[in-house]
Amino acid sequence: MNKGNLFIISGPSGSGKDTVLQKVFSLCPNIKFSISVITRDMRPGETPDGKYRFISREKFEEMIANGELLEHNVFVGNYYGTPKKYVEEQLESGFDCIVEVDVNGAAQIKEKMPDAVSIFICPPSFEVLKSRLSNRGTDSAEAVNKRLEASIGEIKRAKEFDYVVVNDNLEDAVDGFISVIKSQHLKTKNNTSAIDSIVNK
Ligand code: 5GP
């Protein structure tokens, strides 16, 4: 059995990344999602059993000290991190795994795991980005501006990624994303078990 593939996904707040990911998971149910640990407050509409585990700063710092995180970063004043064990277990068991992180987290993972495939989800324009951030209605104007600034900062680093998916039309974005996954499956290194099982008969 070949190991699973790790896909690192980044995209600024307002890129529509969550919607793209939800659709990808509904179409590719075997891909595992790495749940992040974070220290920010839960937003309206979020639940404790969703895409994040909400933990205290003390607990987060303990996880850093114990080497339990594959990467971590401070984003708009809060810690965000990827627990290492879950990701390693999925890959070892042959499952593909998606980690959704900011650009700093993506760079940290890529350095430790150069075989990981990184995908940046990008909004189609500044105007669309701004309007998506303002229309969420869950944050204050100050928070929206902070996120807009952070988003532009992230887009400046999009060129560090292996692939860029521009999310103008959801269907096309999902299609592009799944093409990357499929082409990764066709890589020779992901088919050595099939080859060996024939050659070694
Ligand atoms: P939000 O607070 O809007 O849900 O997320 C803020 C940013 O943190 C987004 O760019 C999101 O991709 C990123 N993020 C989510 N989970 C992680 C993580 O585990 N590690 C890092 N470095 N960033 C994360």
Side-chain angles (χ1 to χ4, degrees):
M1 182 188 61
N2 288 109
K3 272 180 75 171
N5 299 286
L6 181 61
F7 296 95
I8 309 167
I9 315 306
S10 289
S13 193
S15 62
K17 176 184 51 187
D18 287 352
T19 316
V20 172
L21 280 177
Q22 268 172 22
K23 194 86 184 138
V24 168
F25 281 113
S26 73
L27 294 168
C28 311
N30 288 331
I31 299 187
K32 307 293 181 182
F33 179 72
S34 159
I35 292 179
S36 300
V37 286
I38 70 170
T39 62
R40 77 157 162 73
D41 291 336
M42 227 184 278
R43 292 202 193 106
E46 287 181 327
T47 55
D49 56 353
K51 59 178 271 199
Y52 292 138
R53 290 283 167 273
F54 298 89
I55 65 171
S56 66
R57 287 187 85 85
E58 293 69 34
K59 173 71 187 152
F60 197 103
E61 283 165 1
E62 198 182 301
M63 290 181 83
I64 300 174
N66 292 340
E68 292 174 53
L69 299 177
L70 182 57
E71 61 74 39
H72 69 277
N73 191 37
V74 174
F75 187 90
V76 197
N78 291 297
Y79 279 127
Y80 291 72
T82 304
K84 186 158 53 181
K85 189 163 172 255
Y86 177 82
V87 172
E88 286 177 351
E89 281 174 1
Q90 302 317 309
L91 299 179
E92 283 303 324
S93 310
F95 288 110
D96 286 350
C97 187
I98 288 182
V99 295
E100 189 233 297
V101 293
D102 77 313
V103 290
N104 286 309
Q108 288 175 49
I109 298 176
K110 197 69 178 164
E111 200 174 312
K112 286 185 190 158
M113 305 170 83
D115 278 353
V117 178
S118 59
I119 306 174
F120 189 86
I121 303 187
C122 195
S125 66
F126 177 81
E127 285 71 27
V128 170
L129 172 66
K130 193 168 178 192
S131 115
R132 283 181 186 165
L133 285 177
S134 319
N135 290 343
R136 283 208 318 205
T138 52
D139 292 321
S140 66
E142 195 200 338
V144 169
N145 279 336
K146 265 194 185 167
R147 282 177 183 276
L148 188 57
E149 239 172 68
S151 293
I152 306 284
E154 295 215 23
I155 294 168
K156 282 186 183 155
R157 294 181 58 185
K159 291 178 187 168
E160 294 172 20
F161 285 70
D162 297 319
Y163 296 92
V164 173
V165 168
V166 176
N167 182 19
D168 191 0
N169 167 287
L170 178 63
E171 214 167 284
D172 290 344
V174 171
D175 211 40
F177 197 118
I178 289 179
S179 302
V180 173
I181 296 174
K182 284 186 176 163
S183 65
Q184 187 63 15
H185 289 166
L186 301 177
K187 284 257 167 89
T188 307
K189 77 174 179 71
N190 282 324
N191 291 286
T192 52
S193 300
I195 295 166
D196 291 345
S197 75
I198 298 168
V199 175
N200 297 333
K201 264 279 170 225

